[in-house]
Amino acid sequence: MTINAEPWWKTATVYQIWPASYKDSNGDGFGDLQGIISELDYVKSLGVDVIWLSPMYDSPQDDMGYDISNYNAIYPKYGTMKDMDQLIDQVRSRGMKLVLDLVVNHTSSEHEWFKESRSSKDNPKRNWYIWKPPKYDEQGNRQPPNNWKSCFSGSAWEWDEHTQEYYLRLFAATQPDLNWECEETREAIYEYAMKFWYEKGVDGFRIDVAALYSKVQTFEDAPIVDHTQKWQPFGSLCSNGPRIHEFHKEMYKKVTSHYDVMTVGEVGHCSREEALKYVSASANEMNSIFLFDLVEVGVKGLGRYDFAGWNLDDMRKAVKNMSGFAEGTDAWATAFSENHDQPRSVSRFGTDKNPKGHNKSAKLLAQMLSSLSGTLYIYQGQEIGMTNLPRSWPISEYKDIETLNYYEDFKQRIGDDKEKLEKLMDVVQIMARDHARSPVQWDNSKHGGFTTGEPWMRVNDNYPEINVASQVNDPSSVFSFWQKCLKVRKSHSETLIFGDLKIVDNGHEKLFIFTKENGNKKALVALNFSEETVPYVAEEGYNLVLTNFDENSDSHLAPYEARTYIK
Ligand code: ISL
C-alpha cells in the first residue's frame, strides 16, 4: 500500500469544537465564532488537521443546535455569516480543514419548512414531514399512531391541535423528522444543508444520525422489549431502514462526489455487514462512520442510564470492533472515545480522583486512542484531560434535554423515592452528555477564562487544577503528551493508522496489550489500566517510541503506564 496515495482524511486527526462552550469573545456567557477564531493557533499547535464544528446554525437551541431553524444562517449568539466566512478562511490559512455537522434527519419546528407543513393538511410541504392520524384505544382515548419511543423519553409522536394529526419526532418535541421518502425534500436538503456550505469551501460533514432517515413505511408497533414501559425503542423500524443505502448513495452521487471532502456518519449500532454497506469505498455512500462500541462500554440494556460498570474484556471487544471492522476491506474506520454526547473518557476509563493518576491515565488513554486505525477524533478539552462534573452537583446544574427529560420521566415512573433518585444521580454523574458540554477550562481565572460574563453553563470546579494555560508550556502535561502522540502516530502511520489490530493478552484483568501489523512492520502497545504495578517483560527486538513515564522498568508496568514499541 502506498500511503501517500491515500485520501487526506485517512491520516487526519480531527478536533471537535462545541461552539457554546469553546470560548466567549464578547462576555455574553456563550461561546462564539470569534472565540474559536481567537484560539485557532492553539488548536493548530496541538497538531490536528481538521476541525469539526458542531451545529452553529440558527436554532432555538432546544437540543443545543441539533434543532436547526435555518441551514443558511448562524445562531446570533455565535456570530454572523461574516464571522463564519472568516472562520473558514482562518482555518484554511493555517493549513487545516473545516467540517460541519449535517443535521438532516429532522429540523427544528421553527424551520420555515415545518411551519408551512403544519399550516394545513393540503399545504405543498405537508409531505415534507411525517404526519399520521391518531389511533383510539378501547375507551375512545386518542393515542399516537404507534408505540415508538423518543430518544429523549416519551412517545415519538407529537399531537398537532391545528391540523388534528401527529407528527413523528424521534428526538425532542421540537425536532420533527423530515420525510426522506419525498424526493422534493431530499433535493432541498442537498441544496440548502449541503451544497450551500460546500460552495463556501467547507471540507466535509459529520452526518448526524445517519442511519435513521429511512422509516419502515407500515409504521407498525415496535416489539415490546421493556415491559415496564408503554413506549418501546423503534429499533430496526427506523435504524438502518429499508431505503437507507439508497438515500446515502443518492446523497453521494448528487452532492458529495462533486467535492474533495470527507464524510463521517453517526451510525452507532449495526452489524459489521451493515457497517460495510455504509463505508465500503465501492459502495459510494460515506467515507467513514462512528460506531458506539467504545463509548458505550459498560452500558448494558436499553440506554446510557442502564450502566453496569465495565472491565477490560468489554474494552478489548469494543476496541476490536470499532477499529477492526474495516480490516481486509476497502472501508475505513474511526477512532474516538469522546464527543458532545459522551462523558469524559478519563473519568470513565482512567481516574480523576488524584492528580498523578489523572495525568497518567489521561495519557494512557491518549496513547491507546492514537494507536488505533482509522481517522482519529479528539473532543475539545480531551487534550487537557477535562473530567466529568462533580457528583455533588444537583440536577439543576444539568442543561441537556436528554438528561432532564429522562430524569423527569424516571421521577414520574418511580414516584418520590429519594433513594432511587440518588442512585440515578450516581449514573448521571458517570454518563450524562453534559460532562462534555461544560465550558473549556482555559486558565485559573474566574470561570476558567471561558467568559468575562456569566457562563451559560457552570464551569467544572476543577478549572484551577486542569486548564490550558498551565499545560501548554509544561512538557509533562497531558496536552504536551497528546502533541507527542499525534507526531508518533504520523511518523508510524503504516502500523498505527493503517495496521491490523491483534489483541495479545485476552483475559488479563489489568493489562491491555495489542499489536498493529502491516506487512513486515509491527507495533506493540502495552497499557496498564490499573492502579497497581503489574509484572511485564517486553518482547525482544522492539524499539520503544512512546511512553507516559520518564523511566520504564524491565520487569513491570507502573500504574497507568503505557508503552508503544515498533519493530
Ligand atoms: O445521546 C443519546 C441519547 O442517549 C444518543 O442516542 C444520541 O441521541 C444519538 O447518538 C444521536 O445523537 C445525535 O443526534 C441527536 C443530538 O441530540 C445529538 O447531540 C447528536 O449527536 C439529535 O440530533
Side-chain angles (χ1 to χ4, degrees):
M1 169 192 28
T2 45
I3 289 168
N4 290 340
E6 296 283 357
W8 57 267
W9 41 263
K10 287 200 172 176
T11 50
T13 304
V14 183
Y15 182 79
Q16 184 188 353
I17 290 185
W18 178 253
S21 298
Y22 203 61
K23 179 109 196 215
D24 177 16
S25 73
N26 61 3
D28 69 355
F30 287 80
D32 48 43
L33 299 180
Q34 286 301 332
I36 297 170
I37 292 170
S38 73
E39 294 297 348
L40 287 177
D41 288 334
Y42 165 72
V43 175
K44 175 82 185 168
S45 75
L46 178 58
V48 302
D49 312 287
V50 178
I51 291 174
W52 151 24
L53 182 63
S54 282
M56 74 301 154
Y57 311 96
D58 203 3
S59 159
Q61 303 290 332
D62 291 340
D63 185 21
M64 295 303 298
Y66 284 90
D67 49 328
I68 297 172
S69 55
N70 186 344
Y71 290 105
N72 309 123
I74 305 297
Y75 177 50
K77 283 205 169 85
Y78 295 161
T80 62
M81 193 56 87
K82 214 172 132 218
D83 296 322
M84 191 61 197
D85 290 336
Q86 194 188 341
L87 176 67
I88 296 171
D89 188 57
Q90 290 291 306
V91 170
R92 291 221 144 166
S93 70
R94 285 166 176 81
M96 295 187 287
K97 292 179 188 281
L98 184 66
V99 164
L100 302 183
D101 226 300
L102 179 66
V103 189
V104 292
N105 174 68
H106 43 266
T107 66
S108 160
S109 51
E110 293 302 304
H111 196 292
E112 286 306 320
W113 298 345
F114 188 72
K115 287 188 187 165
E116 283 187 49
S117 184
R118 86 186 315 177
S119 66
S120 74
K121 279 188 183 162
D122 54 14
N123 182 278
K125 289 202 174 59
R126 184 66 170 180
N127 193 33
W128 284 36
Y129 293 83
I130 301 168
W131 293 95
K132 295 281 170 226
K135 281 202 318 201
Y136 290 91
D137 63 18
E138 280 161 13
Q139 287 76 41
N141 299 315
R142 194 191 71 223
Q143 294 292 335
N146 65 30
N147 68 353
W148 297 357
K149 180 177 160 178
S150 156
C151 299
F152 292 164
S153 305
S155 167
W157 296 91
E158 201 62 28
W159 178 244
D160 180 57
E161 273 301 328
H162 179 60
T163 54
Q164 297 284 298
E165 282 191 322
Y166 284 93
Y167 63 85
L168 181 69
R169 47 90 168 184
L170 296 181
F171 293 89
T174 53
Q175 285 170 303
D177 280 54
L178 283 158
N179 181 14
W180 274 73
E181 300 292 321
C182 173
E183 194 183 340
E184 217 189 325
T185 313
R186 300 200 302 274
E187 292 295 336
I189 290 170
Y190 302 152
E191 199 56 39
Y192 295 97
M194 299 184 78
K195 285 186 200 160
F196 175 88
W197 291 102
Y198 280 147
E199 291 302 320
K200 274 192 178 287
V202 310
D203 302 289
F205 284 110
R206 173 269 186 186
I207 305 180
D208 192 56
V209 291
L212 296 189
Y213 307 157
S214 170
K215 281 85 179 170
V216 171
Q217 292 297 299
T218 52
F219 291 93
E220 65 212 54
D221 274 348
I224 295 173
V225 292
D226 182 351
H227 289 273
T228 66
Q229 293 205 37
K230 182 169 177 187
W231 313 117
Q232 302 296 322
F234 47 74
S236 59
L237 292 163
C238 298
S239 251
N240 311 309
R243 295 182 69 191
I244 191 68
H245 296 291
E246 185 194 326
F247 294 154
H248 279 293
K249 282 183 188 0
E250 182 182 88
M251 183 190 268
Y252 179 84
K253 188 164 169 224
K254 291 196 165 168
V255 193
T256 316
S257 63
H258 299 280
Y259 304 89
D260 174 25
V261 292
M262 64 173 273
T263 50
V264 52
E266 187 204 21
V267 167
H269 312 102
C270 67
S271 64
R272 177 167 192 256
E273 192 191 4
E274 188 72 33
L276 293 174
K277 286 190 195 163
Y278 286 110
V279 291
S280 160
S282 56
N284 289 329
E285 295 191 13
M286 296 180 283
N287 297 148
S288 55
I289 52 176
F290 291 131
L291 292 174
F292 289 172
D293 300 85
L294 180 57
V295 292
E296 288 187 351
V297 160
V299 174
K300 308 264 147 68
L302 292 173
R304 69 175 61 221
Y305 301 107
D306 207 353
F307 184 79
W310 64 282
N311 60 38
L312 266 189
D313 268 338
D314 301 325
M315 171 74 86
R316 277 187 275 265
K317 232 181 269 157
V319 165
K320 179 71 196 162
N321 199 53
M322 171 179 81
S323 94
F325 85 93
E327 284 172 8
T329 73
D330 64 350
W332 191 241
T334 56
F336 69 104
S337 61
E338 290 188 22
N339 62 37
H340 62 289
D341 290 336
Q342 299 300 332
R344 293 296 186 172
S345 57
V346 68
S347 300
R348 251 172 105 188
F349 304 127
T351 182
D352 54 16
K353 302 283 178 272
N354 62 82
K356 182 160 184 218
H358 170 266
N359 175 287
K360 293 299 182 196
S361 64
K363 289 175 177 172
L364 166 131
L365 292 167
Q367 191 158 339
M368 175 181 87
L369 203 66
S370 61
S371 310
L372 299 179
S373 293
T375 304
L376 174 65
Y377 289 79
I378 303 173
Y379 180 73
Q380 67 181 38
Q382 186 173 4
E383 76 276 16
I384 56 166
M386 276 179 63
T387 68
N388 276 6
L389 305 169
R391 175 61 182 87
S392 57
W393 284 20
I395 190 73
S396 55
E397 295 288 359
Y398 288 79
K399 305 284 179 210
D400 176 23
I401 184 169
E402 189 256 352
T403 303
L404 299 180
N405 282 5
Y406 188 89
Y407 188 88
E408 277 313 309
D409 186 68
F410 184 82
K411 222 162 97 179
Q412 273 180 12
R413 278 186 283 128
I414 62 148
D416 195 20
D417 185 330
K418 294 233 157 42
E419 206 174 302
K420 282 195 176 141
L421 275 179
E422 280 305 305
K423 280 213 173 109
L424 174 61
M425 284 311 289
D426 287 343
V427 181
V428 165
Q429 200 274 327
I430 301 172
M431 291 305 291
R433 308 201 299 184
D434 275 334
H435 298 301
R437 299 176 177 194
S438 69
V440 169
Q441 298 161 207
W442 292 101
D443 57 37
N444 64 5
S445 68
K446 197 173 173 200
H447 304 310
F450 162 69
T451 180
T452 53
E454 274 308 305
W456 72 277
M457 180 182 182
R458 181 170 163 188
V459 179
N460 197 326
D461 303 343
N462 60 18
Y463 71 80
E465 295 86 46
I466 299 172
N467 62 64
V468 170
S470 67
Q471 293 200 18
V472 278
N473 296 317
D474 172 4
S476 71
S477 70
V478 175
F479 178 84
S480 302
F481 193 73
W482 263 110
Q483 287 180 313
K484 231 185 257 171
C485 287
L486 298 187
K487 283 198 189 116
V488 170
R489 178 175 175 80
K490 287 268 164 76
S491 49
H492 297 283
S493 59
E494 305 96 318
T495 47
L496 298 182
I497 305 184
F498 292 91
D500 287 349
L501 179 133
K502 211 184 276 156
I503 286 166
V504 174
D505 63 334
N506 261 318
H508 202 293
E509 280 172 19
K510 300 189 173 89
L511 301 187
F512 182 14
I513 300 177
F514 59 87
T515 59
K516 297 289 301 291
E517 281 187 57
N518 191 348
N520 60 1
K521 295 239 160 80
K522 198 164 166 184
L524 174 76
V525 181
L527 310 165
N528 180 0
F529 265 86
S530 80
E531 297 185 352
E532 285 150 47
T533 300
V534 181
Y536 176 74
V537 180
E539 256 179 78
E540 305 252 310
Y542 279 95
N543 291 322
L544 186 67
V545 294
L546 185 66
T547 175
N548 58 352
F549 273 71
D550 293 334
E551 279 165 32
N552 311 90
S553 138
D554 289 340
S555 60
H556 65 258
L557 290 175
Y560 293 119
E561 182 171 347
R563 298 186 202 171
T564 302
Y565 296 94
I566 299 279
K567 169 149 99 174

